[in-house]
Amino acid sequence: MPSPDFTAPAPEKRDLPADEAVPCRIWTRGPNGVAPALRKTTFEWRSDSAWADNLHPEDAGRVLARWERCSDAGLLRRCDYRIRDAGGGYRTIASRGIPVRDGAGRIVLWAGVDLDVTGRDEPCWQTKELCTLSAVARAIEGCADADVVFRETAALLPGGFRHPELVSVRIEPGTAVPEPGRIVAGIDAGERSPAYLVVECRKRPEGSDDPFVPQEHALVRAVAAMLGVAIAPAHTPAASTGHQYRLLFDQMPDAGLLLEILRDASENPAGFRIVWINRKAAESLGRPQEEVVGEDLPKAVPAIGTTALDLFYQVAATGRTVYREVSTPETGSFYELKVYRPQYDLLVVIAEDVTERRRAEEMLREQRIALDNRVRELATLYAVSGVIERPGNSVEEVLRDVAVILPAGWLHPEDAAARIVVDGREYRSAGFVESPWRQESPIVVQGRIAGRVEVCYRHPRPEDDGALFLVGERRLIDAVAGRLGRVIERMRANKDIGRSEEKYRLLFERMLESYTLYEVIRDDEGNPVDYRISELNEKAAEVFDRSREELVGQRLFDIFPAIREGARALYGEVAETGLPVQRRLQEPRTGRWYDLQIYRPRAGMLAVTGQEITEQKKAELALRKSEERFRGIFEQAGTGIALIDPDGRIMEANPALVRMFGYDEDELYRMRSYDLIYPPDREEAGSLHQETVLRKGIRREKRYLTKDGRIVWGRLTTSLLHDSGEGGLVIAMLEDITDWREMQNALGESEERFRQIAQRSFDMIYTCYHDRGITYISPAVARILGYTPDELIGRRCQDYVAPSSLPVWEEGREKIARGEPVEGLEVEFRRKDGSVAFLELNESPIVEEGLVVGVQIVGRDVSERVRYEDMRLQAFYQIEQNIEQFAVLADHIRLPLQVILGMADLADDEAMSEKIREQVDRINAIVRQLDEGWVESRDIREFLRRNELV
């Protein structure tokens, strides 16, 4: 026994697995596995002799056999059993034990943990006590040096305590006395000097209180017993020990080799020679044991690899036991090697063939990876669906959120990034960059490629089987692109319908079905109790038999109290879950039947569309009651009706159907329903009978071809009619909706004509929203301002207004904000070349849900008119200046002329005086002409002013 004091430093506080709520007992047993008495630490007292007698009869044979196998083979013991307690009831015990081996690899002790898991689903086996015992056992087995074993044990033991940071461990020679806050356990090392394992609490307890729990005392005693038997000298004769070891070695289930270590002059390992191999190794090599004894290892085992040999040299040189898994590439086999050095010149190799286990693990790993990929893809699709179905989302919000979600569906989401491009606008996830490692899928909207979905890796990735992306990822990106295309189509269609009030109202009023929009009324607990009518069409008003003005604002159950009980649950389910429901209901007041579609367009609202099917219901009831009544309805119905067998052949057709298609009855009876469908639509048509059976009736709109070649639109409604024949018949009701469809097409053509007019207009027409800027501008902008429409999309129109016109512009904005139109607003706009254009604007506010969200503007270029107006004003100004100058000039001339004329009268020379008078008369005539011109100019000016021309 060594004399130094092995003291462990204070361990760092760390989280160790523990389940202190589970009763725990620590035990030790001899190498033969004999069970000692169960302590009263956690269970009732049972003597060792009575342990087997108290096992549950169903568990006794299995538990004892398991003990025997583990003891013989030295395997880790795992066993669950039931045992009778002092009260006569049974407790469920979960036991785990580990073999403790000495430096030579011999089992010298068994140590383990028992847990009382009665009433628990799954016991926690990673307890701190079991972890500590296992770690100490490995330290004992891996080294024959007692000093090293003591040092490692002192470092490992605090991990088994509740508060390892407060525990210190040391091994003292001589004697040690237990006291409060200290656990002392003797290490029985046989002939060696006595020693004690001492565990102290760094925080001294007050009085006689013990800071340690019973299982911590048991843990110290168990570790002390493990140390004692591991370092004690063997008492059995060498020959007997060798014989037992050889017998155990030969009967091992794994291949074992005993090798002699060949050393060079420097005592370094230079090779290995076979001393003995066990039965399993001989079977693996296909050679008798005696034949390979004495051969060099590479010759006896040609398949041994470089990795295994390096491992043998390492253990031979250091003496440290090594566990490692190696492979044989030539055979594709895997072995788990356990190599240790029992003596200086001997090496023991235990090889367990784990090839099948590795293959199973690899297959399980591949399946788990495939499953993880599918789960990741499905989770991404689910998240995308959540974004798409979120109420109130715009197309831009959907595309932005989907771009953020998409990278999570790829194998390396931390390096993946996504970009969605639609109509030139981009929506990116964080960190997106242009990359050559990418894949994309087109977004098709209304038959044309409107954009694409891209997913890329920002850095090169190691490829699998030559493919950078998985097959499932290609399916995922195609599915997302296809879904986005359909969503964009739907959302744009909904947006167009919402902005085109006239078209919506026309369709709403003329639709053949009734439509009612309800506001959900809830009680104090939030449960739906009634439904207030918010909007309805004329067809629905006819059903209620009241005017629309009377119905709006009324409660449904006040109008129809008789349906309260039946409709409350049905309508309430849809209002709560949002899942649409289709029902056939009878209006109790009139007895009419309706086919209702009930759905929730948005939170707090409920919509009900209905088609009166009273005639159809009567036809069905009449068919079940008597053929005669059915025939009356069948013949007189205005809707086309046909009976169709499971093969799709027309068995009967009413006159309305005959008139619709123009065929004789005999001709129709030789045809199938498939033959009446417009040829390009036939590929999409499935079996009418199968679809009716699966969906319990179908309702759809299709194109059909008449005998004279006309294409008609029909609304088809089917139901299954059970009769005596096998499989039953399908009753199909076909309503001619050609006029209604033509009206829809006409509306579409009208919108297209309006767009073409706007595109060809001489004036500049554009739409500008507060949040998105300019969304549409006609091509005339290129002629007027020099910009192309694409350059202005998304920009604010105010950015192009000249500073001098900003006050006038802001005044127009204030009127638009109040919802008032603006007419004749003259504003200067900056052209692309820097010049200024005068535009006369007529503006109308765009109102959505009572709020002004934008403005629709028609601008006319009046630059030339403004320029001519400036020139005209300058001309009139010049005229006024001339008039004033004429008046001044006349006054300045008349006065000197009067003086000259007076001088002429006083002159003596009559001839000269006459000549002067003639010249004065000429000058006066000129002045009179100036006066006449001044008067005429003044009259013209006054005339222009009276007529607002100046």
Side-chain angles (χ1 to χ4, degrees):
M1 176 66 64
S3 58
D5 178 6
F6 296 95
T7 304
E12 297 180 1
K13 187 174 182 179
R14 52 196 173 94
D15 294 331
L16 283 176
D19 187 358
E20 296 184 4
V22 181
C24 171
R25 181 177 70 86
I26 301 171
W27 50 263
T28 56
R29 292 171 175 83
N32 57 357
V34 175
L38 298 175
R39 294 184 176 276
K40 200 175 179 180
T41 303
T42 54
F43 312 130
E44 293 297 328
W45 175 268
R46 292 292 172 194
S47 65
D48 185 36
S49 59
W51 177 79
D53 296 336
N54 286 285
L55 288 173
H56 194 283
E58 297 178 359
D59 298 341
R62 173 179 56 82
V63 172
L64 295 177
R66 179 67 178 172
W67 258 119
E68 184 176 353
R69 288 195 302 271
C70 292
S71 299
D72 293 342
L75 302 175
L76 178 67
R77 176 182 180 270
R78 297 182 178 89
C79 186
D80 298 345
Y81 56 86
R82 290 166 292 177
I83 191 167
R84 190 166 52 245
D85 58 18
Y90 282 95
R91 311 292 296 177
T92 301
I93 307 301
S95 180
R96 298 293 185 271
I98 55 174
V100 182
R101 303 176 186 271
D102 60 10
R106 297 183 298 268
I107 296 177
V108 294
L109 193 72
W110 286 82
V113 176
D114 287 351
L115 298 180
D116 184 355
V117 296
T118 305
R120 295 176 178 267
D121 293 334
E122 294 185 5
C124 172
W125 277 122
Q126 296 301 317
T127 62
K128 55 184 179 295
E129 293 89 353
L130 186 60
C131 292
T132 302
L133 291 174
S134 179
V136 172
R138 287 196 300 271
I140 294 172
E141 181 179 1
C143 183
D145 190 336
D147 291 349
V148 175
V149 171
F150 287 161
R151 187 175 293 107
E152 292 188 7
T153 301
L156 293 171
L157 186 55
F161 285 75
R162 293 175 301 161
H163 305 290
E165 71 280 1
L166 300 179
V167 173
S168 66
V169 178
R170 66 178 183 271
I171 299 174
E172 296 181 355
T175 60
V177 179
E179 59 184 44
R182 175 190 291 182
I183 304 174
V184 177
I187 301 175
D188 185 5
E191 298 176 358
R192 296 176 184 267
S193 302
Y196 290 88
L197 177 60
V198 180
V199 178
E200 287 185 331
C201 181
R202 298 180 186 273
K203 185 180 294 184
R204 304 298 294 179
E206 297 180 0
S208 60
D209 293 338
D210 189 356
F212 299 109
V213 295
Q215 54 261 41
E216 292 174 342
H217 285 268
L219 176 64
V220 175
R221 291 193 295 271
V223 172
M226 293 167 63
L227 292 175
V229 298
I231 64 175
H235 296 289
T236 56
S240 175
T241 302
H243 175 72
Q244 292 179 358
Y245 179 81
R246 175 67 62 88
L247 180 62
L248 178 62
F249 185 74
D250 281 343
Q251 298 302 319
M252 287 177 57
D254 301 324
L257 295 86
L258 180 61
L259 307 177
E260 178 186 358
I261 304 172
L262 305 178
R263 300 182 180 272
D264 56 16
S266 301
E267 292 300 315
N268 295 321
F272 302 95
R273 182 182 296 117
I274 301 292
V275 176
W276 186 252
I277 63 173
N278 68 357
R279 177 181 52 81
K280 185 65 176 180
E283 292 177 0
S284 300
L285 296 175
R287 300 175 61 187
Q289 295 170 290
E290 295 78 4
E291 183 178 326
V292 297
V293 172
E295 292 185 0
D296 289 338
L297 178 62
K299 179 180 178 181
V301 188
I304 195 166
T306 305
T307 303
L309 282 176
D310 292 343
L311 181 64
F312 296 169
Y313 280 110
Q314 174 187 342
V315 177
T318 63
R320 301 286 295 184
T321 301
V322 175
Y323 297 84
R324 187 171 301 172
E325 185 178 284
V326 298
S327 63
T328 306
E330 294 80 5
T331 61
S333 300
F334 292 87
Y335 296 91
E336 192 173 82
L337 296 182
K338 178 181 178 182
V339 185
Y340 60 94
R341 192 182 72 185
Q343 296 179 12
Y344 182 73
D345 289 329
L346 290 180
L347 195 71
V348 176
V349 179
I350 308 298
E352 180 184 359
D353 189 349
V354 295
T355 304
E356 292 302 323
R357 186 183 71 188
R358 280 295 302 271
R359 289 174 180 171
E361 290 174 351
E362 182 64 23
M363 183 179 299
L364 180 61
R365 187 185 69 83
E366 293 175 356
Q367 293 175 349
R368 184 167 57 250
I369 291 174
L371 180 59
D372 290 343
N373 292 337
R374 299 294 83 74
V375 170
R376 186 173 59 253
E377 294 163 9
L378 289 175
T380 303
L381 285 176
Y382 180 78
V384 170
S385 297
V387 170
I388 291 173
E389 300 302 329
R390 189 185 302 156
N393 258 6
S394 64
V395 174
E396 290 75 14
E397 291 172 332
V398 169
L399 297 177
R400 184 190 63 227
D401 293 347
V402 170
V404 174
I405 290 171
L406 207 51
W410 266 250
L411 183 60
H412 306 287
E414 73 285 352
D415 194 43
R419 175 173 65 180
I420 300 176
V421 182
V422 175
D423 293 336
R425 300 189 68 177
E426 293 187 358
Y427 308 88
R428 301 185 176 193
S429 66
F432 180 86
V433 293
E434 295 287 349
S435 167
W437 309 287
R438 69 186 184 94
Q439 62 179 165
E440 66 177 48
S441 184
I443 299 176
V444 180
V445 179
Q446 294 180 343
R448 70 175 185 88
I449 297 178
R452 65 186 181 275
V453 179
E454 299 179 32
V455 176
C456 71
Y457 285 129
R458 290 173 288 183
H459 304 91
R461 309 298 309 181
E463 300 183 1
D464 297 328
D465 299 329
L468 179 61
F469 296 98
L470 303 178
V471 175
E473 293 170 346
R474 165 51 60 186
R475 292 195 298 266
L476 175 61
I477 194 172
D478 289 343
V480 172
R483 184 76 183 276
L484 289 178
R486 295 189 295 272
V487 168
I488 293 173
E489 287 182 1
R490 174 172 58 82
M491 296 184 76
R492 285 182 176 176
N494 293 340
K495 189 175 181 181
D496 292 340
I497 290 174
R499 291 180 178 178
S500 181
E501 178 64 25
E502 184 64 28
K503 180 176 68 175
Y504 162 76
R505 182 58 57 187
L506 182 62
L507 293 174
F508 182 72
E509 295 296 341
R510 296 188 181 181
M511 63 188 299
L512 300 177
E513 296 88 354
S514 64
Y515 176 87
T516 310
L517 182 64
Y518 297 98
E519 176 189 354
V520 180
I521 301 175
R522 301 180 181 272
D523 58 14
D524 296 338
E525 297 179 356
N527 300 317
V529 295
D530 209 338
Y531 305 89
R532 181 180 291 108
I533 298 175
S534 177
E535 189 176 359
L536 73 166
N537 64 357
E538 290 296 338
K539 195 70 175 178
E542 293 176 8
V543 173
F544 287 108
D545 196 21
R546 298 186 188 180
S547 67
R548 295 169 63 180
E549 291 74 15
E550 292 180 278
L551 290 169
V552 172
Q554 296 294 318
R555 295 191 175 194
L556 175 63
F557 296 152
D558 291 342
I559 302 172
F560 294 129
I563 69 170
R564 180 187 300 270
E565 296 302 322
R568 175 178 290 178
L570 178 62
Y571 284 23
E573 179 183 355
V574 179
E576 289 297 300
T577 65
L579 300 177
V581 172
Q582 182 176 0
R583 289 288 187 275
R584 285 187 175 183
L585 298 177
Q586 186 179 27
E587 197 274 303
R589 182 170 52 85
T590 62
R592 293 182 176 276
W593 286 86
Y594 294 93
D595 192 355
L596 300 183
Q597 298 280 347
I598 309 168
Y599 60 96
R600 187 179 71 186
R602 63 178 183 270
M605 303 299 291
L606 202 68
V608 179
T609 61
Q611 182 182 17
E612 184 178 351
I613 57 169
T614 305
E615 295 300 324
Q616 179 182 341
K617 191 68 177 178
K618 289 179 179 179
E620 293 174 0
L621 294 174
L623 183 63
R624 288 195 296 266
K625 291 178 180 179
S626 69
E627 180 64 26
E628 181 179 353
R629 292 184 60 188
F630 168 76
R631 181 58 58 187
I633 296 174
F634 187 77
E635 295 293 341
Q636 298 173 15
T639 302
I641 304 174
L643 291 178
I644 302 171
D645 69 5
D647 294 330
R649 297 198 174 276
I650 300 174
M651 304 297 294
E652 283 194 65
N654 71 340
L657 190 69
V658 173
R659 290 193 300 271
M660 184 183 300
F661 287 97
Y663 291 100
D664 296 336
E665 290 187 13
D666 294 339
E667 291 178 309
L668 283 174
Y669 295 160
R670 292 194 298 268
M671 301 175 69
R672 297 181 302 164
S673 60
Y674 179 84
D675 300 330
L676 298 176
I677 300 174
Y678 184 55
D681 297 345
R682 290 177 181 173
E683 292 183 2
E684 301 178 1
S687 171
L688 192 64
H689 185 272
Q690 291 181 2
E691 290 190 44
T692 302
V693 172
L694 292 176
R695 303 183 185 181
K696 297 181 180 179
I698 59 175
R699 187 178 181 209
R700 61 174 56 149
E701 294 177 3
K702 274 188 173 296
R703 292 182 292 179
Y704 295 87
L705 190 66
T706 64
K707 184 177 182 180
D708 57 6
R710 291 185 302 106
I711 300 174
V712 296
W713 279 90
R715 180 180 287 116
L716 176 66
T717 305
T718 68
S719 59
L720 194 62
L721 180 65
H722 295 282
D723 61 4
S724 57
E726 183 178 353
L729 298 178
V730 170
I731 180 169
M733 303 182 68
L734 189 64
E735 181 182 0
D736 188 351
I737 60 170
T738 305
D739 294 340
W740 182 74
R741 291 302 294 255
E742 289 178 353
M743 179 188 65
Q744 286 186 316
N745 294 335
L747 288 174
E749 293 173 0
S750 176
E751 285 190 352
E752 182 61 26
R753 284 197 299 272
F754 169 76
R755 177 174 289 277
Q756 291 179 1
I757 291 172
Q759 291 291 97
R760 298 172 182 174
S761 174
F762 188 79
D763 295 334
M764 183 176 70
I765 302 173
Y766 68 94
T767 302
C768 184
Y769 285 87
H770 298 336
D771 57 343
R772 289 172 287 163
I774 298 173
T775 59
Y776 169 78
I777 190 165
S778 64
V781 69
R783 177 182 56 78
I784 297 174
L785 298 180
Y787 296 98
T788 64
D790 291 340
E791 290 178 299
L792 298 181
I793 296 299
R795 305 297 297 272
R796 298 190 311 162
C797 41
Q798 183 178 351
D799 297 340
Y800 299 92
V801 176
S804 59
S805 294
L806 283 177
V808 178
W809 174 267
E810 293 298 337
E811 183 179 348
R813 300 283 66 74
E814 292 176 1
K815 295 185 69 176
I816 290 296
R818 295 194 298 268
E820 302 175 6
V822 177
E823 296 182 0
L825 185 70
E826 290 191 3
V827 178
E828 292 181 88
F829 280 83
R830 291 184 291 102
R831 289 193 175 101
K832 189 174 182 178
D833 59 4
S835 61
V836 176
F838 285 89
L839 269 67
E840 184 180 73
L841 306 180
N842 292 323
E843 306 179 356
S844 299
I846 300 175
V847 181
E848 294 182 0
E849 298 181 357
L851 299 177
V852 177
V853 298
V855 61
Q856 181 78 39
I857 302 176
V858 178
R860 175 165 295 178
D861 188 0
V862 295
S863 300
E864 291 298 322
R865 190 182 75 186
V866 172
R867 185 169 62 84
Y868 290 144
E869 184 70 19
D870 291 342
M871 293 175 61
R872 185 171 59 81
L873 291 175
Q874 292 177 7
F876 282 114
Y877 176 77
Q878 187 63 44
I879 289 173
E880 290 186 351
Q881 293 293 322
N882 292 341
I883 291 172
E884 293 178 2
Q885 291 178 4
F886 288 158
V888 172
L889 181 61
D891 291 339
H892 287 182
I893 292 175
R894 284 192 182 95
L895 184 57
L897 285 178
Q898 294 297 325
V899 175
I900 293 171
L901 189 58
M903 295 289 293
D905 291 337
L906 297 176
D908 296 333
D909 190 346
E910 187 65 27
M912 178 61 69
S913 297
E914 186 64 26
K915 193 172 184 63
I916 290 173
R917 289 189 188 96
E918 290 177 1
Q919 295 300 323
V920 169
D921 290 339
R922 289 182 62 188
I923 294 173
N924 279 329
I926 293 173
V927 171
R928 282 194 300 271
Q929 289 179 358
L930 289 175
D931 287 340
E932 292 173 358
W934 178 81
V935 172
E936 183 178 355
S937 297
R938 185 182 60 185
D939 293 341
I940 292 172
R941 181 185 61 184
E942 293 302 324
F943 172 77
L944 293 176
R945 283 180 174 171
R946 285 196 305 271
N947 292 275
E948 297 182 353
L949 297 177
V950 179

